[in-house]
Amino acid sequence: MITETALTLLARFLSGVSVRWVDCQPDTCQRVYFANHTSHIDVILVWSALPHKVRRLTRPVAAKDYWSKGWIRPRLAKVYNAMLIDRKAIKVHQSPVQLMLDQMGHEFSVILFPEGGRQSGERVGEFKSGLYYLAKKRPDLELVPVYLNNMNRVLPRDEYLPVPLLSSCTFGPPMWLEDGEGKNDFLARARDAVMKLSRFDVDEE
């Protein structure tokens, strides 16, 4: 049986991940961890980078059509208590944002990827509006930017077996939606917060 500890150790071994916290510390308060997205195992990597007591209160948001297929994916999703969103059954009165808020309640944090789909890793793509509406409906939530480096090489697109390489997961300082801040300005600021964390990888080279 796949356990939380085994999945965490495996994810860290395969990715060779180094975890750093910049002007931010692990906390069990409700947060939205938002990261760049270049690999299917990004969700497992961010989750496994959190301390145990924080992981138990953090649910990755993932696509139901991907994580419900086969034998291994549903079991992995169950281990990390994924919040599976059915992208094909989205309705006006049942938006993904409202589904997330309902399942978060006042207990769970979430991990999401505002770019929507996986990117090449060469740049951080434009953010979709979901993060903005989460922040607008729950202004009390801490929004923590996360930058993943080198994950596009650990598990390249259309590959199924990870390649053991060094990677990093950097958590940045929390942010909030400011009074009167518009959607486009907020999303640009959030994207910039993620991109700024990439400099810590450059500084170590």
Side-chain angles (χ1 to χ4, degrees):
M1 178 177 291
I2 302 170
T3 66
E4 176 188 341
T5 301
L7 181 59
T8 300
L9 292 175
L10 180 62
R12 292 180 178 178
F13 170 74
L14 290 175
S15 63
V17 67
S18 61
V19 180
R20 60 172 79 87
W21 295 80
V22 179
D23 296 327
C24 180
Q25 294 297 324
D27 200 298
T28 55
C29 67
Q30 269 197 301
R31 286 173 163 174
V32 175
Y33 299 97
F34 61 98
N36 58 310
H37 190 24
T38 61
S39 165
H40 275 311
I41 60 173
D42 289 346
V43 60
I44 298 175
L45 181 61
V46 177
W47 178 81
S48 65
L50 298 169
H52 174 73
K53 64 179 181 179
V54 179
R55 281 202 305 271
R56 300 305 296 269
L57 294 172
T58 304
R59 302 186 62 186
V61 177
K64 186 176 181 179
D65 56 297
Y66 179 82
W67 288 98
S68 296
K69 291 180 180 179
W71 183 87
I72 188 67
R73 293 177 196 172
R75 285 162 175 78
L76 290 175
K78 185 175 182 180
V79 170
Y80 61 74
N81 196 20
M83 192 180 295
L84 300 181
I85 302 296
D86 190 343
R87 296 180 292 188
K88 298 179 181 178
I90 294 173
K91 301 177 181 178
V92 174
H93 62 281
Q94 193 177 35
S95 70
V97 170
Q98 192 56 53
L99 289 173
M100 281 187 272
L101 290 172
D102 291 344
Q103 293 193 50
M104 288 174 67
H106 290 278
E107 179 182 11
F108 291 103
S109 296
V110 294
I111 298 168
L112 54 81
F113 301 92
E115 293 164 291
R118 287 172 293 155
Q119 307 295 311
S120 66
E122 297 176 0
R123 61 184 295 274
V124 177
E126 299 297 325
F127 282 7
K128 306 295 184 183
S129 59
L131 181 63
Y132 168 77
Y133 289 112
L134 269 177
K136 189 173 183 179
K137 288 177 178 288
R138 285 288 305 276
D140 58 305
L141 294 174
E142 288 192 0
L143 312 175
V144 178
V146 184
Y147 181 74
L148 298 173
N149 180 53
N150 215 31
M151 287 307 299
N152 58 307
R153 295 177 60 197
V154 172
L155 185 64
R157 196 177 188 91
D158 298 324
E159 296 292 335
Y160 299 95
L161 294 176
V163 179
L165 291 170
L166 295 179
S167 62
S168 64
C169 179
T170 305
F171 295 85
M175 57 178 285
W176 292 264
L177 177 66
E178 297 180 352
D179 290 339
E181 187 174 23
K183 181 178 69 174
N184 292 338
D185 289 340
F186 168 78
L187 293 175
R189 185 164 64 90
R191 178 172 176 262
D192 186 59
V194 171
M195 291 191 295
K196 282 181 177 178
L197 297 175
S198 66
R199 71 180 175 86
F200 292 96
D201 292 296
V202 174
D203 290 345
E204 290 188 355
E205 292 179 355

